[in-house]
Amino acid sequence: MADPKVEKEAGPAPGGEIEQQDNGQPRKREYKDFGEEKEKATHAKVDMAQFLSFMWNPLSWVMEAAAIVAIALSNGGGKPPDWPDFVGIVTLLLINSSIGFYEERGAGNAVKALMDSLAPKARVKRNGKWQEIESANLVPGDMIAFKIGDVVPADCRLTEAVNVSIDQAALTGESLPCSKKAGDQCFSGSTCKAGEAEGVVIATGANTFFGRAASLVGQDDDTTGHLQKILAQIGSFCLIAIGLFVLLEIVILYPAFHYSYRRGLDNILVLLIGGIPIAMPTVLSVTLAVGAQQLAKHKAIVTRITAIEELAGVTILCSDKTGTLTTNKLTIDKQLVKTYGPFSPDDVMLLAAYASRTENQDAIDACVVGILDDPKKARAGIKLLDFKPFNPVDKRTEITYREEATGRLKRVTKGMTGKIIELCTRNKTEDVENRLEADVEEFATRGLRALAVAYEELDHDDVEGEGNGFELIGLLAIFDPPRDDTKQTIDDALALGIKVKMVTGDQLAIAKETGRRLGLGDHMYPAKVLKEGPAPGSKHATLDEMIMDADGFAGVFPEHKYEIVKRLQGLGHLCAMTGDGANDAPALSRANVGIAVEGATDAARGAADIVLTEPGLSTIVHAIRGSRIIFQRMRNYSIYACAVTIRIVVCFGILAFAYKFDFPPFMVLIIALLNDGTIMTLSVDRVLPSNTPDSWDLAEIFAFAVAYGLYLTMSTIIFMIVIVETTFFEDKFGVALTNGQYGSRKDANDYEIHMIIYLQVAIISQALIFVTRSHGWFFMERPSTALLCAFCVAQLISSIIAAYANWGFTQIRAISGGWIGIVWVWNIIWFLPLDLIKFAMKATIIKYLRERKARQVAEMVAQQAHGEVPLTRTQSRAASIHESLYSNRVSFIRRAARKVGFGTNAPKMAPNELQRFASIQASQSGAVLARNPSRPH
């Protein structure tokens, strides 16, 4: 076969073009010169950068500053540097980073394994031999081959084509494929539905038609992501609380109490070390990474990890129809078969199957044969004598066969209703024609395509001879059926408080019929309303009201899908978008969570945040439930972390002011270390997902945190007062301090009192997590085994330290078992009312906050309904910079994605390119419809 002359990109010359190297020596150009260009960093450098990134955020900076203070600024008053605290702080930072790095690496490997399984392959002829390579390695000028069922790996011009039919539904949204011949161009990502072909690659990667469509796509950069803003605000809350009490200690301890430089610094270190929720970025990161791994088990790839958190708050799910809600495979509706002669519906379907190919089928033949219980029946009991395949002129197929049971010759034809009724001469009455017209009209109003079937017998053995005249015997309804799990998925989504809207490029009637079958409703509008707005006198005052009220939109192009998602987001909704084609990519990119279904094009995958790798949409419900579980874990930890910050800084601040209490900084490090080890298990904790979309209400989180923190502070201060100011415990339980202190006023800085306060703070602070993780009574919601075991181990270690730790480098001394028992009983007594505080908060402050928020939302909606622009607070530059300092922990996902070409498109949305793409899509759709009408014009 002669190589065709085609226009193509620069590629390697067949003989290997010679280039000059830097040293002047010739170098042969290779295929890799035209493949993907990737910067390949060593694993060691990448891993080290990922590891160190856990220490690069404002919360870690405060701890790092505390380490510097301990080693460089604390050697005053004749004392050496505080090496124990320095080593402890560094150890804490390294442990947090190690745990986060390990979990993220595991999640990244799981995601990459799934991504590698999606890497498309291509059959290419190189060096005179056919071989299979990854499509990413194709270059212009390569000779490729594909057959039925293959995905076209690159834009190519066909050199040979045998009965080739190409499905471009991913581009046009139209279910019917189109025929291709030698010299025609095929687009990357389209599917070969029939025949086989060879062609020359003329464009690859970003230069293909789908690649140019991908330039419409813009993934938002995660440097200012949603979760990042939450982290920044929670971090700010903690830093402000710590800063306030550090300032108070500086103002009070030095001027008023005349503290020495080192003594005051130790007190400040207690607040810095104990108040900073150093594990917060790591805990939230690990929780998301574990979530990504769990979704990977359901065959869903998370390409933007913070999308898991955003999915929990999604209120509207916009879905494409073709290939997403439906199978993108035509089928016959058995319940709607119309008959006009002596044949039953089953007979009509069998005869239609006779008039269909059983090999190299087009979409119509495949759906007709597929309706039979056994496809072999399409040729059982007959001998094929002659078959005329579908062609654009006759617009029908025809078979002449011999019935083996009777030996008689018979003929069946199926095709467009207008052509078939013209052929019919036998029993063709006005009543039959009227019934046919009415049935076709009924199908059309429901968005169903009509396929007529006619039959005749031959009284001779001449295969080419005429028969006794065709008789119309039946009418078949063809449609693109919903996926098996689509209706259940939609029902589940509605039960989870998510409204589902269909957004499709198909006809309005088809969209309504699909909506009725799925229980979505048929309250749908054509795309033109997005430009023209609601009709005068309609029930909708604005376009936004119409979009919110609609069950879906039909006849839309990419810019329409993008506009719908954008307007819904403007109304305050978090939007998810599902799709599979290049025409869905802009909306997938714009949505808060873009979901590419199984079989999606590279353009759609590149735009999506979650990529499904198995057929069906049930994974979306798994992802929604999973994301809400993950959200609950993050919310529970956020309340806990903020409460502990308030508890530490307020408690030790007040004790310092009231008793000049010098708690050793090293023991705060021990508390923080044990807390972090326990809290890490929250990433796999058992929690119940909410039945409504979640959202971060930081006012609620801070309100709960302040209430819990002040209550725990009170438990410690009262405990301290009883120990120092009274002899209650000595008199009632027979305990005593080993230095012999007894009386109404003891030394608050006794080393044993330090240990007693350490144990009390360590136990009840960790126990708080069981209250924050539950919505009702803490004992009604069983925690995970990991959390329970981690808590028990931490408390055992704390109690052993209290019983045996006589560490000379810090100001503590072991206490007796009696004191340990007193601390445990005291904490249990104070722990039990915590649930009552939670319920009281919900009934008062939380209720008020929610009512205020509801009023604000109602006012904003009312302002928008009257055309007013609601006032919003503009973010300051300082706040923006502060948010950008929190890493969103997505680098490991991005690196895995880049290895298989996901999400590598520049974040651009060019309106003129979008319109050009829509125009091409419109012309392609029009051409397909013109070739395959359901009835004559």
Side-chain angles (χ1 to χ4, degrees), residues 805-858:
N806 289 302
W807 296 334
F809 58 84
T810 190
Q811 301 169 350
I812 58 168
R813 186 180 298 121
I815 57 176
S816 66
W819 279 112
I820 295 175
I822 288 171
V823 171
W824 271 96
V825 172
W826 181 270
N827 281 338
I828 291 173
I829 293 172
W830 279 86
F831 174 78
L832 294 177
L834 275 169
D835 274 333
L836 299 178
I837 292 177
K838 175 170 59 183
F839 300 145
M841 288 290 295
K842 287 183 177 181
T844 55
I845 296 176
I846 303 304
K847 181 180 179 181
Y848 164 75
L849 291 174
R850 291 178 178 176
E851 289 175 349
R852 186 184 67 175
K853 184 177 180 181
R855 286 196 302 270
Q856 291 173 345
V857 171

Short mmCIF file of all heavy atoms in Angstrom, two decimals, residues 805-858:
data_model
loop_
_atom_site.label_atom_id
_atom_site.label_comp_id
_atom_site.label_asym_id
_atom_site.label_seq_id
_atom_site.Cartn_x
_atom_site.Cartn_y
_atom_site.Cartn_z
N ALA A 805 7.90 8.21 86.01
CA ALA A 805 8.83 9.15 85.39
C ALA A 805 9.41 10.13 86.40
O ALA A 805 8.73 11.05 86.85
CB ALA A 805 8.11 9.92 84.27
N ASN A 806 10.66 9.89 86.79
CA ASN A 806 11.42 10.85 87.59
C ASN A 806 12.53 11.40 86.71
O ASN A 806 13.70 11.01 86.84
CB ASN A 806 11.99 10.17 88.85
CG ASN A 806 10.91 9.82 89.86
OD1 ASN A 806 10.19 10.71 90.31
ND2 ASN A 806 10.79 8.54 90.19
N TRP A 807 12.14 12.25 85.78
CA TRP A 807 13.10 12.76 84.80
C TRP A 807 13.78 14.01 85.34
O TRP A 807 13.13 15.02 85.64
CB TRP A 807 12.38 13.08 83.48
CG TRP A 807 11.80 11.84 82.83
CD1 TRP A 807 12.24 10.58 82.96
CD2 TRP A 807 10.67 11.79 81.96
NE1 TRP A 807 11.48 9.71 82.22
CE2 TRP A 807 10.50 10.43 81.59
CE3 TRP A 807 9.79 12.74 81.45
CZ2 TRP A 807 9.48 10.01 80.75
CZ3 TRP A 807 8.79 12.33 80.60
CH2 TRP A 807 8.63 10.98 80.25
N GLY A 808 15.08 13.95 85.43
CA GLY A 808 15.81 15.06 86.01
C GLY A 808 15.88 16.28 85.11
O GLY A 808 16.12 17.39 85.60
N PHE A 809 15.69 16.10 83.80
CA PHE A 809 15.84 17.24 82.89
C PHE A 809 14.58 18.11 82.82
O PHE A 809 14.59 19.16 82.17
CB PHE A 809 16.20 16.76 81.48
CG PHE A 809 15.19 15.81 80.88
CD1 PHE A 809 14.07 16.30 80.23
CD2 PHE A 809 15.39 14.44 80.96
CE1 PHE A 809 13.15 15.42 79.67
CE2 PHE A 809 14.47 13.57 80.41
CZ PHE A 809 13.35 14.05 79.76
N THR A 810 13.49 17.67 83.47
CA THR A 810 12.28 18.49 83.48
C THR A 810 11.68 18.45 84.88
O THR A 810 12.01 17.60 85.70
CB THR A 810 11.27 17.98 82.43
OG1 THR A 810 10.21 18.92 82.30
CG2 THR A 810 10.70 16.62 82.81
N GLN A 811 10.78 19.35 85.14
CA GLN A 811 10.32 19.60 86.52
C GLN A 811 9.11 18.74 86.88
O GLN A 811 8.00 19.22 87.09
CB GLN A 811 9.97 21.08 86.68
CG GLN A 811 11.15 22.00 86.37
CD GLN A 811 10.72 23.45 86.27
OE1 GLN A 811 9.54 23.76 86.24
NE2 GLN A 811 11.70 24.35 86.22
N ILE A 812 9.33 17.42 86.96
CA ILE A 812 8.26 16.50 87.34
C ILE A 812 8.81 15.44 88.29
O ILE A 812 10.01 15.21 88.35
CB ILE A 812 7.63 15.81 86.11
CG1 ILE A 812 8.72 15.05 85.32
CG2 ILE A 812 6.90 16.78 85.22
CD1 ILE A 812 8.17 14.11 84.29
N ARG A 813 7.89 14.79 89.00
CA ARG A 813 8.26 13.67 89.86
C ARG A 813 7.09 12.68 89.86
O ARG A 813 5.93 13.08 89.81
CB ARG A 813 8.56 14.15 91.29
CG ARG A 813 9.08 13.04 92.22
CD ARG A 813 9.36 13.54 93.62
NE ARG A 813 10.39 14.58 93.61
CZ ARG A 813 10.20 15.81 94.05
NH1 ARG A 813 9.02 16.17 94.53
NH2 ARG A 813 11.18 16.69 94.02
N ALA A 814 7.41 11.41 89.90
CA ALA A 814 6.38 10.36 89.87
C ALA A 814 5.45 10.51 91.06
O ALA A 814 5.85 10.95 92.14
CB ALA A 814 7.04 8.98 89.87
N ILE A 815 4.18 10.14 90.83
CA ILE A 815 3.17 10.24 91.90
C ILE A 815 2.67 8.84 92.24
O ILE A 815 2.86 7.88 91.50
CB ILE A 815 1.99 11.14 91.46
CG1 ILE A 815 1.36 10.61 90.16
CG2 ILE A 815 2.44 12.58 91.30
CD1 ILE A 815 0.14 11.40 89.71
N SER A 816 2.01 8.75 93.38
CA SER A 816 1.54 7.46 93.87
C SER A 816 0.30 7.00 93.10
O SER A 816 -0.36 7.79 92.41
CB SER A 816 1.21 7.56 95.35
OG SER A 816 0.11 8.44 95.55
N GLY A 817 -0.03 5.73 93.27
CA GLY A 817 -1.22 5.19 92.63
C GLY A 817 -2.49 5.85 93.12
O GLY A 817 -3.49 5.95 92.39
N GLY A 818 -2.46 6.31 94.38
CA GLY A 818 -3.64 6.99 94.92
C GLY A 818 -3.95 8.26 94.14
O GLY A 818 -5.11 8.55 93.82
N TRP A 819 -2.91 9.04 93.87
CA TRP A 819 -3.12 10.28 93.10
C TRP A 819 -3.59 9.96 91.67
O TRP A 819 -4.44 10.67 91.12
CB TRP A 819 -1.83 11.10 93.05
CG TRP A 819 -1.57 11.93 94.28
CD1 TRP A 819 -0.59 11.77 95.19
CD2 TRP A 819 -2.34 13.06 94.71
NE1 TRP A 819 -0.67 12.72 96.19
CE2 TRP A 819 -1.76 13.54 95.91
CE3 TRP A 819 -3.48 13.71 94.22
CZ2 TRP A 819 -2.24 14.62 96.62
CZ3 TRP A 819 -3.97 14.79 94.93
CH2 TRP A 819 -3.36 15.25 96.11
N ILE A 820 -3.03 8.91 91.07
CA ILE A 820 -3.47 8.53 89.72
C ILE A 820 -4.95 8.16 89.72
O ILE A 820 -5.71 8.56 88.83
CB ILE A 820 -2.61 7.35 89.19
CG1 ILE A 820 -1.16 7.81 89.01
CG2 ILE A 820 -3.18 6.81 87.88
CD1 ILE A 820 -0.20 6.69 88.62
N GLY A 821 -5.37 7.42 90.75
CA GLY A 821 -6.79 7.06 90.84
C GLY A 821 -7.67 8.29 91.03
O GLY A 821 -8.76 8.37 90.44
N ILE A 822 -7.21 9.24 91.83
CA ILE A 822 -7.97 10.47 92.04
C ILE A 822 -8.15 11.22 90.72
O ILE A 822 -9.23 11.72 90.40
CB ILE A 822 -7.28 11.35 93.10
CG1 ILE A 822 -7.43 10.73 94.50
CG2 ILE A 822 -7.85 12.78 93.08
CD1 ILE A 822 -6.60 11.41 95.57
N VAL A 823 -7.07 11.32 89.96
CA VAL A 823 -7.14 12.02 88.66
C VAL A 823 -8.16 11.34 87.74
O VAL A 823 -8.98 12.01 87.10
CB VAL A 823 -5.75 12.06 87.99
CG1 VAL A 823 -5.87 12.58 86.55
CG2 VAL A 823 -4.81 12.95 88.79
N TRP A 824 -8.14 10.01 87.67
CA TRP A 824 -9.07 9.30 86.79
C TRP A 824 -10.52 9.53 87.24
O TRP A 824 -11.39 9.80 86.39
CB TRP A 824 -8.75 7.80 86.80
CG TRP A 824 -7.74 7.42 85.75
CD1 TRP A 824 -6.40 7.28 85.91
CD2 TRP A 824 -8.02 7.16 84.38
NE1 TRP A 824 -5.80 6.95 84.72
CE2 TRP A 824 -6.77 6.86 83.75
CE3 TRP A 824 -9.17 7.16 83.61
CZ2 TRP A 824 -6.66 6.55 82.40
CZ3 TRP A 824 -9.07 6.84 82.26
CH2 TRP A 824 -7.83 6.55 81.66
N VAL A 825 -10.78 9.42 88.52
CA VAL A 825 -12.15 9.63 89.01
C VAL A 825 -12.60 11.07 88.76
O VAL A 825 -13.73 11.33 88.32
CB VAL A 825 -12.24 9.28 90.52
CG1 VAL A 825 -13.61 9.68 91.07
CG2 VAL A 825 -12.00 7.79 90.73
N TRP A 826 -11.71 12.03 89.02
CA TRP A 826 -12.04 13.44 88.78
C TRP A 826 -12.39 13.68 87.31
O TRP A 826 -13.39 14.35 86.99
CB TRP A 826 -10.83 14.30 89.19
CG TRP A 826 -11.04 15.78 89.02
CD1 TRP A 826 -10.77 16.52 87.92
CD2 TRP A 826 -11.60 16.68 89.98
NE1 TRP A 826 -11.10 17.83 88.12
CE2 TRP A 826 -11.62 17.97 89.39
CE3 TRP A 826 -12.06 16.55 91.29
CZ2 TRP A 826 -12.07 19.09 90.05
CZ3 TRP A 826 -12.51 17.68 91.96
CH2 TRP A 826 -12.53 18.93 91.34
N ASN A 827 -11.61 13.11 86.42
CA ASN A 827 -11.87 13.30 84.99
C ASN A 827 -13.16 12.63 84.54
O ASN A 827 -13.89 13.18 83.71
CB ASN A 827 -10.69 12.75 84.17
CG ASN A 827 -9.52 13.71 84.15
OD1 ASN A 827 -9.68 14.91 84.38
ND2 ASN A 827 -8.33 13.20 83.87
N ILE A 828 -13.46 11.47 85.07
CA ILE A 828 -14.72 10.80 84.71
C ILE A 828 -15.91 11.64 85.15
O ILE A 828 -16.89 11.81 84.41
CB ILE A 828 -14.76 9.38 85.33
CG1 ILE A 828 -13.72 8.48 84.65
CG2 ILE A 828 -16.16 8.79 85.21
CD1 ILE A 828 -13.57 7.12 85.32
N ILE A 829 -15.83 12.20 86.36
CA ILE A 829 -16.93 13.03 86.86
C ILE A 829 -17.13 14.25 85.97
O ILE A 829 -18.27 14.64 85.67
CB ILE A 829 -16.64 13.45 88.33
CG1 ILE A 829 -16.70 12.22 89.24
CG2 ILE A 829 -17.63 14.52 88.78
CD1 ILE A 829 -16.26 12.50 90.66
N TRP A 830 -16.03 14.86 85.53
CA TRP A 830 -16.14 16.06 84.68
C TRP A 830 -16.44 15.72 83.22
O TRP A 830 -16.96 16.57 82.49
CB TRP A 830 -14.84 16.87 84.76
CG TRP A 830 -14.78 17.73 85.99
CD1 TRP A 830 -14.34 17.35 87.23
CD2 TRP A 830 -15.20 19.08 86.11
NE1 TRP A 830 -14.44 18.39 88.12
CE2 TRP A 830 -14.97 19.48 87.45
CE3 TRP A 830 -15.73 20.01 85.23
CZ2 TRP A 830 -15.27 20.76 87.93
CZ3 TRP A 830 -16.02 21.29 85.70
CH2 TRP A 830 -15.80 21.66 87.02
N PHE A 831 -16.11 14.50 82.81
CA PHE A 831 -16.35 14.12 81.41
C PHE A 831 -17.84 13.90 81.13
O PHE A 831 -18.34 14.28 80.06
CB PHE A 831 -15.57 12.84 81.09
CG PHE A 831 -15.86 12.28 79.72
CD1 PHE A 831 -15.30 12.83 78.58
CD2 PHE A 831 -16.72 11.20 79.57
CE1 PHE A 831 -15.57 12.32 77.32
CE2 PHE A 831 -17.00 10.68 78.33
CZ PHE A 831 -16.43 11.24 77.18
N LEU A 832 -18.55 13.29 82.05
CA LEU A 832 -19.94 12.90 81.79
C LEU A 832 -20.86 14.06 81.40
O LEU A 832 -21.71 13.91 80.52
CB LEU A 832 -20.50 12.16 83.02
CG LEU A 832 -19.83 10.80 83.31
CD1 LEU A 832 -20.40 10.18 84.58
CD2 LEU A 832 -20.03 9.84 82.13
N PRO A 833 -20.72 15.26 82.00
CA PRO A 833 -21.61 16.36 81.60
C PRO A 833 -21.29 17.00 80.24
O PRO A 833 -22.02 17.89 79.79
CB PRO A 833 -21.43 17.41 82.72
CG PRO A 833 -20.81 16.67 83.85
CD PRO A 833 -19.98 15.62 83.22
N LEU A 834 -20.20 16.56 79.59
CA LEU A 834 -19.84 17.19 78.32
C LEU A 834 -20.94 17.05 77.27
O LEU A 834 -21.17 17.95 76.46
CB LEU A 834 -18.53 16.57 77.80
CG LEU A 834 -17.24 17.18 78.33
CD1 LEU A 834 -16.04 16.33 77.95
CD2 LEU A 834 -17.06 18.61 77.82
N ASP A 835 -21.63 15.90 77.27
CA ASP A 835 -22.75 15.72 76.33
C ASP A 835 -23.86 16.72 76.61
O ASP A 835 -24.52 17.22 75.67
CB ASP A 835 -23.30 14.30 76.42
CG ASP A 835 -22.53 13.33 75.52
OD1 ASP A 835 -21.97 13.79 74.51
OD2 ASP A 835 -22.49 12.13 75.84
N LEU A 836 -24.09 17.03 77.89
CA LEU A 836 -25.13 18.00 78.23
C LEU A 836 -24.76 19.38 77.71
O LEU A 836 -25.63 20.14 77.26
CB LEU A 836 -25.33 18.03 79.75
CG LEU A 836 -25.79 16.71 80.39
CD1 LEU A 836 -25.91 16.88 81.91
CD2 LEU A 836 -27.13 16.27 79.79
N ILE A 837 -23.47 19.71 77.76
CA ILE A 837 -23.02 20.99 77.19
C ILE A 837 -23.29 21.02 75.69
O ILE A 837 -23.73 22.03 75.14
CB ILE A 837 -21.53 21.21 77.50
CG1 ILE A 837 -21.33 21.42 79.00
CG2 ILE A 837 -20.96 22.37 76.70
CD1 ILE A 837 -19.89 21.56 79.40
N LYS A 838 -23.03 19.88 75.02
CA LYS A 838 -23.26 19.79 73.58
C LYS A 838 -24.74 20.03 73.27
O LYS A 838 -25.07 20.80 72.37
CB LYS A 838 -22.82 18.42 73.08
CG LYS A 838 -23.12 18.16 71.62
CD LYS A 838 -22.42 16.88 71.15
CE LYS A 838 -22.84 15.68 71.93
NZ LYS A 838 -22.13 14.46 71.54
N PHE A 839 -25.62 19.38 74.01
CA PHE A 839 -27.05 19.54 73.76
C PHE A 839 -27.51 20.97 74.07
O PHE A 839 -28.35 21.53 73.35
CB PHE A 839 -27.85 18.54 74.60
CG PHE A 839 -27.52 17.10 74.30
CD1 PHE A 839 -27.53 16.14 75.30
CD2 PHE A 839 -27.18 16.71 73.01
CE1 PHE A 839 -27.22 14.83 75.04
CE2 PHE A 839 -26.86 15.39 72.73
CZ PHE A 839 -26.89 14.44 73.75
N ALA A 840 -26.97 21.55 75.15
CA ALA A 840 -27.34 22.92 75.50
C ALA A 840 -26.88 23.90 74.42
O ALA A 840 -27.61 24.84 74.07
CB ALA A 840 -26.73 23.29 76.85
N MET A 841 -25.70 23.68 73.89
CA MET A 841 -25.21 24.53 72.80
C MET A 841 -26.11 24.43 71.57
O MET A 841 -26.43 25.43 70.92
CB MET A 841 -23.77 24.12 72.44
CG MET A 841 -22.73 24.51 73.46
SD MET A 841 -22.46 26.30 73.49
CE MET A 841 -21.78 26.57 71.86
N LYS A 842 -26.52 23.22 71.23
CA LYS A 842 -27.38 23.02 70.06
C LYS A 842 -28.73 23.72 70.25
O LYS A 842 -29.30 24.26 69.29
CB LYS A 842 -27.60 21.53 69.81
CG LYS A 842 -26.40 20.80 69.24
CD LYS A 842 -26.73 19.34 68.96
CE LYS A 842 -25.54 18.62 68.33
NZ LYS A 842 -25.84 17.20 68.04
N ALA A 843 -29.22 23.71 71.47
CA ALA A 843 -30.55 24.28 71.72
C ALA A 843 -30.52 25.80 71.82
O ALA A 843 -31.56 26.45 71.70
CB ALA A 843 -31.12 23.70 73.01
N THR A 844 -29.34 26.38 72.00
CA THR A 844 -29.27 27.83 72.19
C THR A 844 -28.42 28.51 71.11
O THR A 844 -28.94 28.99 70.11
CB THR A 844 -28.71 28.15 73.59
OG1 THR A 844 -27.44 27.48 73.75
CG2 THR A 844 -29.66 27.68 74.67
N ILE A 845 -27.13 28.51 71.30
CA ILE A 845 -26.24 29.27 70.42
C ILE A 845 -26.24 28.72 69.00
O ILE A 845 -26.34 29.48 68.02
CB ILE A 845 -24.80 29.28 71.00
CG1 ILE A 845 -24.79 30.01 72.34
CG2 ILE A 845 -23.83 29.92 70.02
CD1 ILE A 845 -23.46 29.99 73.04
N ILE A 846 -26.15 27.41 68.84
CA ILE A 846 -26.11 26.81 67.50
C ILE A 846 -27.44 27.06 66.78
O ILE A 846 -27.46 27.36 65.57
CB ILE A 846 -25.80 25.31 67.58
CG1 ILE A 846 -24.48 25.07 68.31
CG2 ILE A 846 -25.77 24.70 66.18
CD1 ILE A 846 -23.30 25.79 67.70
N LYS A 847 -28.53 26.96 67.50
CA LYS A 847 -29.84 27.23 66.90
C LYS A 847 -29.92 28.67 66.42
O LYS A 847 -30.40 28.96 65.31
CB LYS A 847 -30.94 26.96 67.94
CG LYS A 847 -32.35 27.21 67.41
CD LYS A 847 -33.39 26.92 68.49
CE LYS A 847 -34.80 27.20 67.97
NZ LYS A 847 -35.82 26.95 69.03
N TYR A 848 -29.42 29.59 67.24
CA TYR A 848 -29.41 31.01 66.85
C TYR A 848 -28.55 31.23 65.60
O TYR A 848 -28.95 31.96 64.67
CB TYR A 848 -28.90 31.86 68.01
CG TYR A 848 -28.50 33.26 67.60
CD1 TYR A 848 -29.47 34.23 67.32
CD2 TYR A 848 -27.16 33.61 67.45
CE1 TYR A 848 -29.10 35.51 66.92
CE2 TYR A 848 -26.78 34.88 67.05
CZ TYR A 848 -27.76 35.83 66.79
OH TYR A 848 -27.40 37.09 66.38
N LEU A 849 -27.36 30.62 65.57
CA LEU A 849 -26.46 30.80 64.42
C LEU A 849 -27.10 30.28 63.14
O LEU A 849 -26.98 30.89 62.07
CB LEU A 849 -25.14 30.09 64.68
CG LEU A 849 -24.24 30.68 65.78
CD1 LEU A 849 -23.03 29.79 66.04
CD2 LEU A 849 -23.78 32.08 65.39
N ARG A 850 -27.79 29.15 63.23
CA ARG A 850 -28.42 28.57 62.03
C ARG A 850 -29.60 29.42 61.56
O ARG A 850 -29.81 29.59 60.35
CB ARG A 850 -28.86 27.14 62.31
CG ARG A 850 -27.68 26.18 62.47
CD ARG A 850 -28.10 24.77 62.80
NE ARG A 850 -26.94 23.90 62.90
CZ ARG A 850 -27.00 22.62 63.27
NH1 ARG A 850 -28.17 22.07 63.58
NH2 ARG A 850 -25.89 21.88 63.34
N GLU A 851 -30.37 29.94 62.50
CA GLU A 851 -31.48 30.81 62.12
C GLU A 851 -30.96 32.10 61.48
O GLU A 851 -31.53 32.58 60.50
CB GLU A 851 -32.34 31.13 63.35
CG GLU A 851 -33.14 29.94 63.84
CD GLU A 851 -33.89 30.25 65.12
OE1 GLU A 851 -33.60 31.34 65.73
OE2 GLU A 851 -34.74 29.45 65.54
N ARG A 852 -29.88 32.63 62.00
CA ARG A 852 -29.30 33.84 61.42
C ARG A 852 -28.80 33.56 60.01
O ARG A 852 -29.00 34.38 59.09
CB ARG A 852 -28.15 34.33 62.30
CG ARG A 852 -27.57 35.68 61.85
CD ARG A 852 -26.38 36.09 62.69
NE ARG A 852 -25.24 35.20 62.46
CZ ARG A 852 -24.04 35.40 63.00
NH1 ARG A 852 -23.84 36.42 63.82
NH2 ARG A 852 -23.05 34.57 62.76
N LYS A 853 -28.16 32.41 59.82
CA LYS A 853 -27.67 32.06 58.49
C LYS A 853 -28.82 31.88 57.51
O LYS A 853 -28.75 32.31 56.35
CB LYS A 853 -26.84 30.77 58.57
CG LYS A 853 -26.21 30.36 57.26
CD LYS A 853 -25.35 29.12 57.43
CE LYS A 853 -24.72 28.72 56.11
NZ LYS A 853 -23.88 27.49 56.25
N ALA A 854 -29.92 31.25 57.97
CA ALA A 854 -31.08 31.06 57.09
C ALA A 854 -31.68 32.40 56.68
O ALA A 854 -32.10 32.59 55.53
CB ALA A 854 -32.12 30.20 57.81
N ARG A 855 -31.72 33.37 57.62
CA ARG A 855 -32.24 34.70 57.29
C ARG A 855 -31.35 35.38 56.25
O ARG A 855 -31.84 36.03 55.32
CB ARG A 855 -32.34 35.55 58.56
CG ARG A 855 -33.48 35.18 59.48
CD ARG A 855 -33.75 36.27 60.50
NE ARG A 855 -32.56 36.57 61.31
CZ ARG A 855 -32.29 35.95 62.46
NH1 ARG A 855 -33.11 35.02 62.93
NH2 ARG A 855 -31.21 36.28 63.15
N GLN A 856 -30.04 35.24 56.41
CA GLN A 856 -29.12 35.86 55.46
C GLN A 856 -29.27 35.28 54.06
O GLN A 856 -29.25 36.01 53.07
CB GLN A 856 -27.68 35.69 55.95
CG GLN A 856 -27.35 36.49 57.21
CD GLN A 856 -25.97 36.16 57.76
OE1 GLN A 856 -25.36 35.15 57.40
NE2 GLN A 856 -25.48 37.01 58.67
N VAL A 857 -29.44 33.96 54.00
CA VAL A 857 -29.63 33.31 52.69
C VAL A 857 -30.93 33.78 52.05
O VAL A 857 -30.99 34.07 50.85
CB VAL A 857 -29.61 31.78 52.84
CG1 VAL A 857 -30.02 31.10 51.54
CG2 VAL A 857 -28.24 31.30 53.27
N ALA A 858 -31.99 33.86 52.85
CA ALA A 858 -33.29 34.31 52.33
C ALA A 858 -33.21 35.75 51.81
O ALA A 858 -33.77 36.08 50.77
CB ALA A 858 -34.35 34.20 53.42
#
